[in-house]
């Protein structure tokens, strides 16, 4: 079974800048049949038709936005590789930043906890207390059953 | 606070599970059409039988189905008996749009599989199909009395889609 019919079309010639714009647009637009390819990479019949339409619109001097609007009107935001920020895409755009903020928050909390943990608890140590501690440490071991054998 | 901390992994798990589960039930090939509830594109295309121009104004005041197919399309053969049944007893007028298909190939296909269509139009360059946002065949558009697209079927209809979705909607649109 053959695929859809190929139709030969005459396309208007493009200037160098127009060619660059066409290339740029084709890379930003998504092929609908083969979803993970852009229009420039795709060789599906529909992609070639859409490419021809974009080619003509570029030759007519239509702006990038007008060309994208034309395709979005028919195929929806799906054709754009760079989805617009709007109510149904805020999670897509905001999600990574929310995760980043969450991670930063957790990191900061852990850092703070560690700093608190390293500080000794209890009342501040003054010179008198220090002297008492030294005396206790220097005191010969006299009492109790335990201890080193003499 | 401690209880909350032990709950964090569980919460994370639930969030990820919900997203993954939704991903399971969604078909990535189904692209929502921006044309639903908008006026169907106007066009004029040659009829397959006599080459006379045909435009959708001919169906004004009716609820009808535009079925995009091609003789090169394998799934269209599968869908065709259902479309034929829909059209046969006059439950729903169906207009066929032969998409990027040589007229002689379309005619041969209809001869072989039967022609249930009210009229078949030929869109050889595929430009009208692009206006309708078609990205594969078959695709069908239910159009109301005022010429607005109310439902789009991507891929072949099955009996359930016809009985549970299409026909109830047709009833409702006829009553509008």
């Amino acid at each position: 079974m053959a695929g859809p019919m190929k139709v030969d079309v005459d396309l208007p010639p493009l200037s160098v800048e127009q060619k660059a714009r066409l290339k740029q647009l084709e890379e930003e637009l998504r092929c609908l049949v083969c979803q993970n390819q852009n229009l420039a990479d795709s060789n599906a019949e529909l992609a070639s038709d859409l490419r021809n339409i974009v080619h003509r619109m570029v030759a007519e001097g239509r702006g990038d936005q007008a060309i994208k609007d034309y395709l979005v009107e028919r195929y929806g935001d799906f054709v754009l590789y760079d989805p617009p920020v709007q109510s149904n895409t805020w999670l897509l755009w905001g999600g990574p930043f929310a995760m980043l903020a969450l991670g930063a928050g957790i990191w900061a909390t852990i850092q703070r906890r560690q700093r608190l943990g390293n500080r000794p608890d209890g009342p501040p140590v003054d010179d008198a207390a220090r002297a008492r501690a030294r005396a206790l440490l220097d005191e010969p071991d006299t009492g109790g059953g335990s201890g080193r054998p003499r | 606070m401690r209880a909350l901390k032990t709950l964090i992994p569980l919460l994370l798990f639930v969030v990820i599970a919900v997203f993954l589960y939704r991903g399971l039930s969604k078909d990535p090939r189904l692209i929502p059409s921006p044309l639903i509830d908008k006026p169907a594109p106007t066009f004029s295309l040659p009829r397959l039988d006599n080459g006379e121009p045909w435009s959708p104004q001919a169906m004004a005041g009716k609820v009808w189905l535009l079925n995009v197919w091609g003789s090169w399309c394998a799934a269209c053969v599968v869908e065709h008996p259902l479309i034929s049944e829909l059209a046969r007893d006059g439950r729903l007028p169906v207009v066929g749009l032969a998409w990027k298909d040589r007229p002689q190939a379309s005619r041969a296909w209809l001869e072989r599989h039967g022609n249930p269509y009210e009229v078949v139009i030929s869109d050889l360059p595929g430009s009208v199909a692009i206006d309708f946002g078609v990205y594969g065949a078959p695709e069908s558009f239910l159009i109301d009395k005022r010429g607005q697209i109310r439902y789009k079927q991507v891929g072949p209809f099955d009996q359930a889609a016809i009985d549970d979705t299409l026909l109830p909607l047709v009833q409702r649109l006829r009553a509008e």
Side-chain angles (χ1 to χ4, degrees):
Chain A
M1 193 160 303
M5 209 197 125
K6 274 200 170 52
V7 182
D8 290 328
V9 278
D10 292 324
L11 291 171
L14 297 182
S15 68
V16 178
E17 301 97 75
Q18 284 176 325
K19 269 189 191 141
R21 264 190 65 211
L22 177 63
K23 183 127 198 346
Q24 177 71 30
L25 277 166
E26 281 174 355
E27 272 165 18
E28 286 168 28
L29 297 169
R30 183 161 169 176
C31 168
L32 295 117
V33 185
C34 31
Q35 295 183 358
N36 290 319
Q37 287 182 321
N38 56 33
L39 273 187
D41 290 340
S42 165
N43 49 11
E45 265 304 298
L46 177 65
S48 115
D49 288 351
L50 290 174
R51 212 158 43 214
N52 292 344
I53 284 180
V54 176
H55 184 121
R56 281 208 193 85
M57 290 175 90
V58 169
E60 285 163 14
R62 306 272 287 266
D64 287 359
Q65 200 51 51
I67 295 174
K68 285 183 189 168
D69 287 348
Y70 174 91
L71 290 168
V72 168
E73 263 168 39
R74 287 157 179 77
Y75 291 98
D77 294 328
F78 192 88
V79 293
L80 303 175
Y81 264 126
D82 195 5
V85 183
Q86 53 196 27
S87 59
N88 61 354
T89 56
W90 66 263
L91 193 62
L92 178 70
W93 283 102
F97 295 104
M99 294 303 268
L100 185 68
L102 187 71
I106 290 173
W107 184 78
T109 310
I110 290 172
Q111 288 295 308
R112 201 159 43 91
R113 288 259 171 80
Q114 272 178 355
R115 266 203 312 280
L116 286 176
N118 288 340
R119 196 190 301 152
D121 293 329
V125 185
D126 57 15
D127 284 349
R130 210 165 262 135
R132 217 166 49 239
R134 171 115 357 241
L136 278 169
L137 286 167
D138 290 346
E139 196 176 282
D141 194 1
T142 51
S146 67
R148 284 160 300 192
R150 296 268 151 104
Chain B
M1 187 61 204
R2 172 136 311 161
L4 198 70
K5 220 157 110 186
T6 51
L7 275 180
I8 287 175
L10 181 68
L11 285 176
L12 269 178
F13 170 78
V14 169
V15 169
I16 292 172
V18 165
F19 273 92
L20 291 180
Y21 183 77
R22 282 198 49 193
L24 275 186
S25 56
K26 277 181 124 175
D27 184 347
R29 284 163 303 168
L30 276 188
I31 304 169
S33 173
L35 290 166
I36 302 295
D37 293 335
K38 302 242 170 74
T42 51
F43 61 84
S44 174
L45 281 176
R47 294 172 60 125
L48 187 69
D49 51 3
N50 56 19
E52 307 245 314
W54 187 90
S55 104
Q57 274 88 350
M59 301 302 281
K62 284 187 199 168
V63 178
W64 59 289
L65 191 75
L66 180 73
N67 180 233
V68 179
W69 63 279
S71 68
W72 45 269
C73 150
C76 299
V77 182
V78 178
E79 183 193 55
H80 201 63
L82 290 171
I83 295 287
S84 304
E85 200 197 310
L86 257 184
R88 194 184 315 123
D89 47 16
R91 278 192 288 178
L92 184 64
V94 185
V95 172
L97 185 140
W99 183 35
K100 293 178 78 64
D101 199 17
R102 280 190 192 80
Q104 54 271 42
S106 308
R107 277 189 215 106
W109 192 90
L110 289 173
E111 222 155 86
R112 192 157 147 219
H113 298 283
N115 181 358
Y117 296 108
E118 181 122 336
V119 57
V120 179
I121 45 185
S122 172
D123 185 13
L124 191 56
S127 51
V128 169
I130 286 177
D131 282 344
F132 273 84
V134 171
Y135 62 95
E139 272 185 27
S140 300
F141 298 84
L142 186 65
I143 297 170
D144 71 8
K145 294 176 183 171
R146 287 171 303 151
Q148 286 190 318
I149 296 177
R150 301 299 288 270
Y151 172 76
K152 175 180 181 180
Q153 171 79 21
V154 175
F157 271 113
D158 55 25
Q159 196 67 56
I162 287 181
D163 293 344
D164 302 340
T165 310
L166 184 71
L167 290 177
L169 188 56
V170 169
Q171 290 298 325
R172 229 173 50 233
L173 294 185
R174 285 218 174 106
E176 268 182 5

PDB file of all heavy atoms in Angstrom, chain A residues 14-26:
ATOM      1  N   LEU A  14      13.761  32.110  -2.278  1.00  0.00           N
ATOM      2  CA  LEU A  14      13.936  32.908  -1.065  1.00  0.00           C
ATOM      3  C   LEU A  14      15.303  33.579  -1.077  1.00  0.00           C
ATOM      4  O   LEU A  14      16.254  33.045  -1.632  1.00  0.00           O
ATOM      5  CB  LEU A  14      13.856  32.017   0.180  1.00  0.00           C
ATOM      6  CG  LEU A  14      12.552  31.302   0.468  1.00  0.00           C
ATOM      7  CD1 LEU A  14      12.677  30.509   1.768  1.00  0.00           C
ATOM      8  CD2 LEU A  14      11.394  32.275   0.568  1.00  0.00           C
ATOM      9  N   SER A  15      15.346  34.745  -0.439  1.00  0.00           N
ATOM     10  CA  SER A  15      16.636  35.403  -0.267  1.00  0.00           C
ATOM     11  C   SER A  15      17.416  34.683   0.833  1.00  0.00           C
ATOM     12  O   SER A  15      16.878  33.810   1.511  1.00  0.00           O
ATOM     13  CB  SER A  15      16.429  36.864   0.127  1.00  0.00           C
ATOM     14  OG  SER A  15      15.868  36.917   1.417  1.00  0.00           O
ATOM     15  N   VAL A  16      18.679  35.079   1.005  1.00  0.00           N
ATOM     16  CA  VAL A  16      19.502  34.402   2.013  1.00  0.00           C
ATOM     17  C   VAL A  16      18.909  34.571   3.410  1.00  0.00           C
ATOM     18  O   VAL A  16      18.797  33.610   4.181  1.00  0.00           O
ATOM     19  CB  VAL A  16      20.950  34.954   1.980  1.00  0.00           C
ATOM     20  CG1 VAL A  16      21.786  34.279   3.058  1.00  0.00           C
ATOM     21  CG2 VAL A  16      21.564  34.720   0.604  1.00  0.00           C
ATOM     22  N   GLU A  17      18.455  35.813   3.723  1.00  0.00           N
ATOM     23  CA  GLU A  17      17.876  36.037   5.060  1.00  0.00           C
ATOM     24  C   GLU A  17      16.598  35.236   5.225  1.00  0.00           C
ATOM     25  O   GLU A  17      16.336  34.667   6.284  1.00  0.00           O
ATOM     26  CB  GLU A  17      17.541  37.524   5.300  1.00  0.00           C
ATOM     27  CG  GLU A  17      18.708  38.482   5.205  1.00  0.00           C
ATOM     28  CD  GLU A  17      18.774  39.113   3.826  1.00  0.00           C
ATOM     29  OE1 GLU A  17      17.957  40.001   3.543  1.00  0.00           O
ATOM     30  OE2 GLU A  17      19.632  38.692   3.026  1.00  0.00           O
ATOM     31  N   GLN A  18      15.805  35.197   4.150  1.00  0.00           N
ATOM     32  CA  GLN A  18      14.544  34.448   4.234  1.00  0.00           C
ATOM     33  C   GLN A  18      14.811  32.965   4.454  1.00  0.00           C
ATOM     34  O   GLN A  18      14.116  32.301   5.210  1.00  0.00           O
ATOM     35  CB  GLN A  18      13.719  34.658   2.972  1.00  0.00           C
ATOM     36  CG  GLN A  18      13.035  36.028   2.929  1.00  0.00           C
ATOM     37  CD  GLN A  18      12.303  36.241   1.631  1.00  0.00           C
ATOM     38  OE1 GLN A  18      12.736  35.784   0.578  1.00  0.00           O
ATOM     39  NE2 GLN A  18      11.192  36.952   1.692  1.00  0.00           N
ATOM     40  N   LYS A  19      15.849  32.473   3.800  1.00  0.00           N
ATOM     41  CA  LYS A  19      16.204  31.063   3.981  1.00  0.00           C
ATOM     42  C   LYS A  19      16.579  30.780   5.430  1.00  0.00           C
ATOM     43  O   LYS A  19      16.192  29.766   6.006  1.00  0.00           O
ATOM     44  CB  LYS A  19      17.382  30.700   3.076  1.00  0.00           C
ATOM     45  CG  LYS A  19      16.927  30.196   1.731  1.00  0.00           C
ATOM     46  CD  LYS A  19      18.093  29.648   0.940  1.00  0.00           C
ATOM     47  CE  LYS A  19      17.652  29.409  -0.498  1.00  0.00           C
ATOM     48  NZ  LYS A  19      18.668  29.763  -1.479  1.00  0.00           N
ATOM     49  N   ALA A  20      17.338  31.725   6.011  1.00  0.00           N
ATOM     50  CA  ALA A  20      17.750  31.554   7.404  1.00  0.00           C
ATOM     51  C   ALA A  20      16.524  31.561   8.310  1.00  0.00           C
ATOM     52  O   ALA A  20      16.415  30.771   9.250  1.00  0.00           O
ATOM     53  CB  ALA A  20      18.719  32.661   7.802  1.00  0.00           C
ATOM     54  N   ARG A  21      15.583  32.472   8.005  1.00  0.00           N
ATOM     55  CA  ARG A  21      14.362  32.544   8.820  1.00  0.00           C
ATOM     56  C   ARG A  21      13.562  31.256   8.697  1.00  0.00           C
ATOM     57  O   ARG A  21      13.038  30.737   9.671  1.00  0.00           O
ATOM     58  CB  ARG A  21      13.503  33.719   8.356  1.00  0.00           C
ATOM     59  CG  ARG A  21      13.705  34.970   9.168  1.00  0.00           C
ATOM     60  CD  ARG A  21      12.646  35.992   8.808  1.00  0.00           C
ATOM     61  NE  ARG A  21      11.322  35.558   9.180  1.00  0.00           N
ATOM     62  CZ  ARG A  21      10.224  35.901   8.523  1.00  0.00           C
ATOM     63  NH1 ARG A  21      10.283  36.658   7.457  1.00  0.00           N
ATOM     64  NH2 ARG A  21       9.056  35.485   8.933  1.00  0.00           N
ATOM     65  N   LEU A  22      13.457  30.739   7.473  1.00  0.00           N
ATOM     66  CA  LEU A  22      12.719  29.501   7.241  1.00  0.00           C
ATOM     67  C   LEU A  22      13.326  28.370   8.069  1.00  0.00           C
ATOM     68  O   LEU A  22      12.629  27.612   8.730  1.00  0.00           O
ATOM     69  CB  LEU A  22      12.745  29.159   5.748  1.00  0.00           C
ATOM     70  CG  LEU A  22      12.073  27.844   5.353  1.00  0.00           C
ATOM     71  CD1 LEU A  22      10.595  27.884   5.675  1.00  0.00           C
ATOM     72  CD2 LEU A  22      12.266  27.562   3.865  1.00  0.00           C
ATOM     73  N   LYS A  23      14.658  28.309   8.053  1.00  0.00           N
ATOM     74  CA  LYS A  23      15.358  27.252   8.780  1.00  0.00           C
ATOM     75  C   LYS A  23      15.064  27.364  10.272  1.00  0.00           C
ATOM     76  O   LYS A  23      14.742  26.390  10.947  1.00  0.00           O
ATOM     77  CB  LYS A  23      16.862  27.389   8.508  1.00  0.00           C
ATOM     78  CG  LYS A  23      17.717  26.342   9.132  1.00  0.00           C
ATOM     79  CD  LYS A  23      18.603  25.691   8.080  1.00  0.00           C
ATOM     80  CE  LYS A  23      19.185  24.358   8.492  1.00  0.00           C
ATOM     81  NZ  LYS A  23      19.122  23.992   9.872  1.00  0.00           N
ATOM     82  N   GLN A  24      15.163  28.620  10.756  1.00  0.00           N
ATOM     83  CA  GLN A  24      14.903  28.896  12.168  1.00  0.00           C
ATOM     84  C   GLN A  24      13.483  28.463  12.547  1.00  0.00           C
ATOM     85  O   GLN A  24      13.267  27.767  13.541  1.00  0.00           O
ATOM     86  CB  GLN A  24      15.093  30.410  12.394  1.00  0.00           C
ATOM     87  CG  GLN A  24      14.805  30.889  13.792  1.00  0.00           C
ATOM     88  CD  GLN A  24      15.875  30.413  14.752  1.00  0.00           C
ATOM     89  OE1 GLN A  24      17.032  30.229  14.372  1.00  0.00           O
ATOM     90  NE2 GLN A  24      15.478  30.195  16.002  1.00  0.00           N
ATOM     91  N   LEU A  25      12.507  28.843  11.712  1.00  0.00           N
ATOM     92  CA  LEU A  25      11.108  28.502  11.990  1.00  0.00           C
ATOM     93  C   LEU A  25      10.899  26.993  11.981  1.00  0.00           C
ATOM     94  O   LEU A  25      10.225  26.436  12.838  1.00  0.00           O
ATOM     95  CB  LEU A  25      10.199  29.154  10.939  1.00  0.00           C
ATOM     96  CG  LEU A  25       9.827  30.606  11.201  1.00  0.00           C
ATOM     97  CD1 LEU A  25       9.237  31.225   9.946  1.00  0.00           C
ATOM     98  CD2 LEU A  25       8.829  30.697  12.341  1.00  0.00           C
ATOM     99  N   GLU A  26      11.500  26.354  10.988  1.00  0.00           N
ATOM    100  CA  GLU A  26      11.315  24.909  10.880  1.00  0.00           C
ATOM    101  C   GLU A  26      11.847  24.180  12.104  1.00  0.00           C
ATOM    102  O   GLU A  26      11.338  23.132  12.488  1.00  0.00           O
ATOM    103  CB  GLU A  26      12.029  24.370   9.631  1.00  0.00           C
ATOM    104  CG  GLU A  26      11.254  24.608   8.364  1.00  0.00           C
ATOM    105  CD  GLU A  26      12.042  24.188   7.136  1.00  0.00           C
ATOM    106  OE1 GLU A  26      13.218  23.808   7.292  1.00  0.00           O
ATOM    107  OE2 GLU A  26      11.484  24.249   6.035  1.00  0.00           O
TER     108      GLU A  26
END
